[in-house]
Amino acid sequence: MEDRKTLGTTYDPKEFEKRLYDKWMEMGVFTPKVNKEKKPYTIVMPPPNITGKLHMGHALDLTLQDMIIRYKRMQGFEALWLPGEDHASIATEVRVENELLKQGIVKKEIGREAFLEKVWEWSDEYRERIREQIKKMGSSCDFTREAFTMDENLSKAVRTVFVKLYDEGLIYRGNRMTNWCPKCTTALSNAEIEYKESEGSLWHFKYPLTDGSGYITIATTRPETMLGDTAVAVNPDDDRYKALVGKTLMLPLMDKQIPIVADSYVDVEFGTGCVKITPAHDPNDYLVGERHNLPSVNVLDDHGRINSNGGKYAGLDRYEARKLIVKDMEALGLLESIKPHLHNLSTHDRCGTAIEPLISKQWYVKMEPLAIPALEAVRNKDTKFVPERFEKTYFNWMENIEDWCISRQLWWGHRIPVWYCDACGDTIASIDTPHSCPKCGSEKLREEEDVLDTWFSSALWPFSTLGWPDKTEDLEYFYPTSTLVTGYDIIFFWVARMVFSGLYNMKETPFDTVFIHGIVRDSEGRKMSKSLGNGVDPLETIDEFGADALRFMLVSGNAPGNDIRFYPERVEAARNFANKIWNASRFVLMNLDGELLEKYKESRSYSLADRWILSRLNSLVSDVTANLDRFELGVALQKVYDFLWNELCDWYIELIKPVFYNGTDEEKGTSFNVIRNVLIAGLKLLHPVMPFITEEIYSHLSEDATIVTAAWPQSDETLVDLATERNMNAVIEAIRSIRNLRQEMNVPSSRKSKLSILPQEGMGEAFVMATDYLKKLAFADEVELVTAEPDGKNNVAVVTGDARIFIPLLDLIDRDKEIERLKKEEEKLMKEIVRVTSKLTNEKFISKAPQSVIDEEKEKGAKYEAMIQSVRDRIESLS
C-alpha cells in the first residue's frame, strides 16, 4: 500500500476525471456479460436527438440513470445501461436544411440522395459530440452496445413491425383531417402539437341569404378559411333559426351558394349560434360535413398559401390573405365587428409555426386494439410509475387515444416500407425491397416517398437495441428492461408508445418501473430556453467545478417527479464538499500505518468514538439502501452528505486525532482500521453520485482494481448501538455548547479551564468515557463529574439536554454579560416550549400525527422544561 498513499495536495478534478474514465473504458467495467448465474439489471438511455449538444436536462437525466446503474452494479447485478442516439427525423432535417441554406445549397435542388448524404455527415459528427459529452458526465454506459435509431438492425425492426401491423389491418392509409405544419411541410401527430395562449381577434361577418330576406352573422378566428366554407350550421333546437334551415346563403367573395344545415354540434349559447362549416380546415367541421354530405374544399397548399380554389387570393400567404379578406368584407359592408379574442393556438412543438388542420392522405396506426392491453399493464402494476401520480397522465392519454398519424413528408428517417404497383394498382408492404408485384408480376414498382414519425422507431427502443427481431442472447437475457428514467414531458410521446409496442411485439412490458423526473429550471424557477438566454451549459459547469460537483447539485434535493432549480452557488458548495472529503482522506492516508493496520485488523477494542461511528455507518447503510430502492435519490444523497461532512470529517476524525498522535499501538491500530473501513464504506455510498473523486481516493485506500465493481456496503446490525449513539451525541452536544459559549465570551482556545459536569441520570458513564475528547475539543485541563452544582460564583453554566456543565470563566468575563446571555437562552427555550405546547394542544395535530411523533414532541417538551429550569437557577445564583 505504500505507493498508493500519495493523494494530490489539492482537489483538482481536471487532473483525474478523464484519466479515470479512460481507465474504466479500458477495463471494460461498464460492459456486462450474459451471465445466467447473476441477475441482469437493464436501463435503456432515452436517446438524445442528434440536433445539437446536450443541455442541463440531459445532464439531470444522465446523472439519475448513472446513479441507479452504478448502485445496481455494486449490488452484484449484471448492470447494462445501453446508450444511443435518435435520428430525430423532423428536427434534424430542419437543422441540416437551414445549415445548407447558409451555404447557398437548397434541399430540393440537390435531391433526396445528396441531401441524405449531408444528413449522414451531420449525424456522424453530432453522434461523436454527444458520445464525448456523455462520457464527460461520468456516465457508466456500455458503448460496445451503443445504438442509433437509423442503424441497420433497428431499421429492420422498424420494417418488421410496420409490415406486421399492416398485415394485421392495424396500419391503414386514408384521407383524414391531419395536423399540418406549413413550415416543415409535413403531417404531425397530436402529440407534436403545443398549445400556446395567443391574443387574436374574433371577426363577425354577415352572410346574406340568397332570397334577399336578410343575413346571418357568423364569427371566426381564421377569416382565410371562409374561402372553403361549404355550409353554415345552426342548432336544430334554436328557435331563432329553425325557419332558416334548408335555405341557402351567398358565400361572400366567392359568389357561391351554400346551405344552412341543422346540427347539434352547434352551441346555442356561444356567439351568434351560427357556425361557418369548412370541412377541409377544421376537425369538427369535417365531422359535420360527413354527417350532411357536404363537399370538402381545400383552399391551402402545403406551404400555408392560398391555392387555386381561393379565387383572386390564390398565391397569397394565409396571413396576407386574411388581411385582404377582412378589408374586402369591410368594403362590401359585411364586416360587423372585430373583437379581441384570447385563444389556444395550436403550434408545431419543433418550429413554433401555427399548424393548419388539413385533409390529406396519410398512414395511420389503429390505436384502440394496442391501447387496451397497455392500459391493463399499468393498472395491474406490471409497469409501475414512480411517483404513482404520473399514471394519471398515462391513463388520460391512452383512454382518449386517437389513431396515430405515422407518415411524414420528409426525406430523413425510416422510409415507409411500401411499394405501389403502377400496373395493377396493388400496395405492397414488405420488409425487403420487392422486385416485382406479387399480384401481377409487374416490375413497375414505385416506392413510398414518406418517412415514418420519429417516435415509431423510438417506440421499439427497449427491444430493437437488444437485437430484435433476431433472437439474440442479449435480448433473451436483458429484456424486459428494469427501469426507464425519463421526464414527465414525454410520457405520452414515448413511454406510452414503448409500452404498447413492447406488449404487441414481445408479449410483455418493456420495463417494470418508470422513474419520472422533472425539468431543470433556472434559479428563478423559469424553464431554461434560448429565447430567455437562461440556459446553462453543463460542459462549462464541469470545466469550472468538475463533473462530480454538477452531478451532486442535480441530485441534491431532487424528489421524483419534481422540477429542480439550478443554482451555481450550489454547484460551488458541492465542489467544497468534494474538497472536504479530499482533505479528510489525505489526512487519513498520511497517518495510516500499514503494519499496525494488519496487526490489529481483528481488534474490537473500540473506543466510544469508534463504536459511535460504526453504529452510525451501519444505520446509514440500511437507510441509504432503502432510499435508493424507493428511488428517493435526493434523500439518500443528503444522508450520505450529512454523515461524511458532519459525523466523519467534523467529529470522528477530530475525536480520534489524540489516538493518532499519542495512543498505544493497539489504540492506533484499532482506530486506523475503523477509519479506513468507514471511509471506504462512505466512499462506496457516495460513488453512484460522485464517481470520480470516490474512485481516485478509493484507489489509494484499497487493493481493489476499481470502486466501480466493489461490493455495495452491507449493514452489520450487531454494530448498531443506539445507547452508544445517544452517549456520543450527548458528548458532541456538550462540546459544541462549550465551544459556542467560549466563542461568545471571547475566551481563546489557549485558555484551558476545568469542567464540572452534573449529568442527567444515567449519563455519567458517557462523560467519563469521553474525558479525553472533552479535554481536547472543549479546551479543558481537568474534567470532573459532580453530584451538585459546585460552589463559587465565578462559574458559567452550559445547559444541554443531558447535563449541566460548569466552567470557572467569570474571572475572565463580565458577570452582567453572562446574565444577559442566560436570559437570551431562557427566551429561546421559552419559544420552543410554546411551540411544543401549541402542537400538543392542537386537536388536528393530535388526531393526524403518528403516536411516535407525538411522543417525540412530548420528550422535547420535557427536555426544554428541564433546560429552562437549569438556566433560571443559574441566573438566580449569579444575581
Side-chain angles (χ1 to χ4, degrees):
M1 267 184 68
E2 293 306 310
D3 60 328
R4 289 178 167 229
K5 281 194 176 181
T6 51
L7 197 61
T9 50
T10 54
Y11 168 63
D12 179 11
K14 281 195 178 81
E15 191 278 316
F16 57 82
E17 287 192 347
K18 185 180 186 308
R19 165 169 58 80
L20 292 179
Y21 198 90
D22 291 345
K23 165 190 153 182
W24 292 329
M25 292 291 282
E26 205 176 301
M27 290 173 72
V29 288
F30 304 155
T31 301
K33 308 286 185 287
V34 172
N35 178 359
K36 297 292 167 65
E37 303 299 310
K38 287 169 76 175
K39 280 186 176 180
Y41 191 95
T42 314
I43 296 177
V44 289
M45 181 186 292
N49 292 344
I50 56 159
T51 46
K53 60 184 181 180
L54 301 187
H55 53 65
M56 202 52 82
H58 291 119
L60 171 64
D61 204 40
L62 290 168
T63 301
L64 297 177
Q65 289 173 83
D66 197 31
M67 189 173 174
I68 295 165
I69 210 76
R70 284 182 183 271
Y71 164 59
K72 292 296 176 183
R73 190 181 289 119
M74 294 173 82
Q75 280 193 315
F77 289 88
E78 283 291 344
L80 169 62
W81 182 17
L82 196 151
E85 304 82 32
D86 196 308
H87 68 285
S89 182
I90 194 162
T92 305
E93 182 149 330
V94 168
R95 283 291 302 274
V96 176
E97 192 176 352
N98 289 339
E99 288 301 314
L100 291 175
L101 278 173
K102 290 175 189 174
Q103 302 164 38
I105 301 169
V106 179
K107 180 178 94 169
K108 293 275 166 68
E109 288 175 8
I110 62 169
R112 187 169 194 145
E113 206 170 304
F115 177 73
L116 288 178
E117 274 180 31
K118 297 286 186 189
V119 187
W120 274 108
E121 285 171 21
W122 170 284
S123 162
D124 292 342
E125 181 189 337
Y126 274 83
R127 285 186 67 202
E128 182 55 36
R129 280 195 203 182
I130 288 166
R131 201 175 291 124
E132 288 310 309
Q133 290 169 341
I134 288 171
K135 289 176 180 177
K136 273 203 107 171
M137 284 296 304
S139 309
S140 64
C141 46
D142 179 9
F143 281 106
T144 69
R145 289 181 170 95
E146 182 186 357
F148 180 44
T149 46
M150 292 292 283
D151 284 344
E152 180 44 45
N153 67 302
L154 276 79
S155 295
K156 182 182 173 185
V158 166
R159 296 193 301 272
T160 303
V161 172
F162 183 96
V163 172
K164 188 182 175 193
L165 288 164
Y166 180 82
D167 289 346
E168 291 180 11
L170 292 172
I171 279 183
Y172 64 93
R173 193 179 187 218
N175 273 311
R176 289 189 47 180
M177 181 63 67
T178 309
N179 300 308
W180 187 266
C181 176
K183 184 175 180 184
C184 302
T185 60
T186 182
L188 305 169
S189 70
N190 287 344
E192 292 162 283
I193 303 305
E194 195 172 74
Y195 296 97
K196 292 179 181 172
E197 197 173 76
S198 176
E199 288 181 7
S201 299
L202 193 63
W203 287 271
H204 288 77
F205 291 146
K206 298 173 187 175
Y207 282 18
L209 286 147
T210 49
D211 62 8
S213 62
Y215 60 86
I216 63 173
T217 302
I218 60 92
T220 181
T221 57
R222 297 157 70 212
E224 64 278 10
T225 62
M226 69 176 285
L227 305 174
D229 286 357
T230 55
V232 166
V234 296
N235 191 292
D237 300 324
D238 193 335
D239 292 333
R240 292 173 294 176
Y241 304 114
K242 273 183 180 175
L244 296 178
V245 175
K247 289 194 172 189
T248 57
L249 296 161
M250 184 58 71
L251 178 61
L253 309 177
M254 298 304 289
D255 294 328
K256 184 169 84 175
Q257 290 190 20
I258 58 173
I260 298 171
V261 298
D263 197 287
S264 54
Y265 155 68
V266 181
D267 183 353
V268 177
E269 304 296 323
F270 184 76
T272 62
C274 302
V275 177
K276 64 190 272 308
I277 302 299
T278 324
H281 294 284
D282 184 279
N284 294 312
D285 292 7
Y286 176 75
L287 297 173
V288 175
E290 282 194 325
R291 286 196 288 274
H292 296 276
N293 294 315
L294 297 172
S296 186
V297 180
N298 182 1
V299 296
L300 289 170
D301 70 10
D302 289 354
H303 298 277
R305 295 186 296 250
I306 305 296
N307 64 20
S308 57
N309 291 332
K312 71 171 191 174
Y313 305 99
L316 291 176
D317 171 79
R318 54 184 166 163
Y319 296 123
E320 289 172 8
R322 177 181 292 183
K323 287 177 192 169
L324 193 54
I325 286 165
V326 171
K327 192 178 173 186
D328 290 349
M329 288 293 278
E330 187 175 20
L332 292 167
L334 298 175
L335 173 63
E336 189 173 276
S337 65
I338 305 173
K339 292 176 182 169
H341 181 66
L342 201 63
H343 65 121
N344 270 338
L345 185 67
S346 307
T347 63
H348 182 191
D349 65 352
R350 289 288 177 199
C351 67
T353 305
I355 65 110
E356 282 292 344
L358 289 179
I359 292 172
S360 61
K361 189 171 267 192
Q362 303 292 341
W363 287 93
Y364 292 89
V365 177
K366 280 185 188 171
M367 284 311 307
E368 195 179 349
L370 298 169
I372 291 167
L375 278 163
E376 284 308 301
V378 176
R379 285 197 187 108
N380 298 340
K381 304 295 183 189
D382 296 332
T383 292
K384 298 174 287 295
F385 277 78
V386 177
E388 199 176 332
R389 68 178 187 270
F390 285 101
E391 284 182 1
K392 285 181 188 169
T393 308
Y394 177 88
F395 289 142
N396 187 45
W397 174 256
M398 293 296 259
E399 285 165 358
N400 299 289
I401 202 154
E402 294 177 5
D403 286 357
W404 174 17
C405 175
I406 54 169
S407 47
R408 297 291 180 271
Q409 289 64 53
L410 301 164
W411 288 350
W412 173 243
H414 295 281
R415 200 156 174 178
I416 290 176
V418 162
W419 288 260
Y420 305 102
C421 176
D422 286 338
C424 70
D426 194 27
T427 300
I428 306 134
S430 173
I431 295 169
D432 301 310
T433 304
H435 298 294
S436 60
C437 174
K439 194 173 179 183
C440 72
S442 169
E443 292 181 5
K444 289 183 178 177
L445 301 181
R446 191 169 29 88
E447 189 177 357
E448 169 64 70
E449 292 285 321
D450 290 355
V451 300
L452 287 162
D453 175 15
T454 297
W455 298 101
F456 192 93
S457 51
S458 50
L460 319 180
W461 189 249
F463 50 92
S464 64
T465 51
L466 293 168
W468 189 90
D470 298 333
K471 289 181 177 173
T472 63
E473 264 196 325
D474 273 4
L475 185 65
E476 189 192 341
Y477 183 67
F478 290 110
Y479 188 90
T481 69
S482 309
T483 301
L484 177 78
V485 181
T486 191
Y488 56 65
D489 51 340
I490 56 171
I491 289 173
F492 46 81
F493 267 128
W494 191 43
V495 179
R497 286 170 177 163
M498 281 191 287
V499 175
F500 69 66
S501 298
L503 288 165
Y504 177 70
N505 294 290
M506 301 295 294
K507 308 303 176 208
E508 54 188 331
T509 55
F511 24 71
D512 57 48
T513 305
V514 182
F515 173 44
I516 299 289
H517 60 75
I519 61 171
V520 184
R521 298 183 177 275
D522 69 8
S523 56
E524 294 173 39
R526 301 173 302 172
K527 196 171 178 177
M528 290 184 173
S529 68
K530 280 182 185 172
S531 56
L532 288 172
N534 62 342
V536 179
D537 184 342
L539 298 180
E540 286 177 12
T541 307
I542 288 170
D543 283 341
E544 188 175 355
F545 298 106
D548 284 334
L550 173 61
R551 290 167 61 112
F552 183 99
M553 187 265 141
L554 291 168
V555 178
S556 176
N558 191 312
N562 289 3
D563 292 347
I564 68 162
R565 293 191 181 194
F566 181 87
Y567 295 99
E569 56 271 25
R570 277 179 52 199
V571 186
E572 196 172 348
R575 201 259 321 270
N576 293 343
F577 169 62
N579 201 47
K580 178 110 171 170
I581 302 300
W582 185 270
N583 290 336
S585 302
R586 274 195 83 238
F587 169 79
V588 171
L589 284 161
M590 284 161 57
N591 283 281
L592 289 182
D593 180 309
E595 282 181 25
L596 292 178
L597 270 168
E598 185 58 34
K599 186 175 179 182
Y600 294 103
K601 68 180 179 185
E602 302 301 328
S603 169
R604 296 293 178 268
S605 303
Y606 298 137
S607 66
L608 173 64
D610 295 337
R611 291 203 308 277
W612 169 70
I613 200 70
L614 288 168
S615 180
R616 290 298 307 122
L617 172 69
N618 284 282
S619 295
L620 176 77
V621 169
S622 294
D623 288 353
V624 168
T625 304
N627 291 137
L628 291 177
D629 288 341
R630 292 193 297 265
F631 297 97
E632 296 161 354
L633 310 188
V635 174
L637 176 59
Q638 188 61 48
K639 286 177 181 172
V640 175
Y641 170 88
D642 288 342
F643 174 80
L644 291 174
W645 184 294
N646 298 323
E647 293 171 329
L648 184 65
C649 296
D650 280 356
W651 285 103
Y652 181 67
I653 288 176
E654 290 305 314
L655 290 165
I656 61 170
K657 275 182 181 176
V659 174
F660 271 33
Y661 301 141
N662 303 310
T664 65
D665 279 1
E666 185 177 8
E667 286 170 342
K668 283 181 181 177
T670 306
S671 282
F672 286 163
N673 276 289
V674 172
I675 186 70
R676 180 177 173 275
N677 294 339
V678 170
L679 183 54
I680 283 175
L683 291 170
K684 287 179 178 180
L685 295 175
L686 184 62
H687 175 72
V689 186
M690 303 182 89
F692 291 114
I693 186 174
T694 50
E695 173 73 76
E696 183 67 358
I697 298 169
Y698 187 81
S699 69
H700 290 77
L701 278 165
S702 168
E703 297 295 338
D704 290 350
T706 174
I707 196 172
V708 173
T709 49
W712 185 254
Q714 299 292 310
S715 178
D716 182 348
E717 294 301 316
T718 63
L719 291 172
V720 176
D721 183 345
L722 298 181
T724 290
E725 286 192 34
R726 186 177 172 203
N727 288 343
M728 195 69 235
N729 289 341
V731 173
I732 286 171
E733 189 186 1
I735 293 169
R736 193 182 280 126
S737 300
I738 292 165
R739 289 169 80 119
N740 288 344
L741 170 71
R742 289 175 67 104
Q743 193 176 356
E744 280 175 31
M745 298 173 73
N746 293 316
V747 179
S749 55
S750 56
R751 283 279 180 93
K752 306 289 183 192
S753 58
K754 181 180 177 181
L755 299 181
S756 299
I757 301 173
L758 178 57
Q760 295 280 14
E761 194 177 334
M763 293 306 296
E765 191 188 348
F767 289 102
V768 169
M769 286 190 291
T771 299
D772 287 344
Y773 307 144
L774 289 159
K775 282 183 175 177
K776 170 81 171 62
L777 300 177
F779 316 114
D781 52 12
E782 187 186 341
V783 178
E784 67 169 2
L785 253 64
V786 294
T787 53
E789 182 176 335
D791 293 334
K793 293 205 170 182
N794 64 337
N795 284 325
V796 174
V798 168
V799 182
T800 71
D802 298 289
R804 279 190 287 163
I805 302 160
F806 302 94
I807 316 166
L809 293 177
L810 283 183
D811 293 339
L812 309 172
I813 57 102
D814 186 319
R815 190 181 299 267
D816 292 337
K817 277 191 178 170
E818 174 58 6
I819 291 170
E820 190 183 327
R821 184 189 70 79
L822 285 166
K823 283 187 173 171
K824 280 183 187 167
E825 184 70 16
E826 179 188 24
E827 202 177 303
K828 196 164 81 178
L829 286 165
M830 198 63 229
K831 279 182 186 167
E832 289 301 315
I833 290 166
V834 168
R835 184 188 63 75
V836 171
T837 307
S838 155
K839 257 189 178 181
L840 293 172
T841 53
N842 183 330
E843 282 182 26
K844 265 190 187 173
F845 173 75
I846 296 294
S847 62
K848 288 185 180 177
Q851 190 57 46
S852 59
V853 174
I854 295 169
D855 291 343
E856 195 182 322
E857 288 299 320
K858 283 180 179 174
E859 210 175 288
K860 280 183 192 171
K863 179 174 138 181
Y864 295 143
E865 290 286 0
M867 285 171 76
I868 203 167
Q869 191 53 53
S870 294
V871 168
R872 284 170 178 165
D873 290 348
R874 188 65 194 145
I875 291 169
E876 193 180 332
S877 70
L878 284 171
S879 303

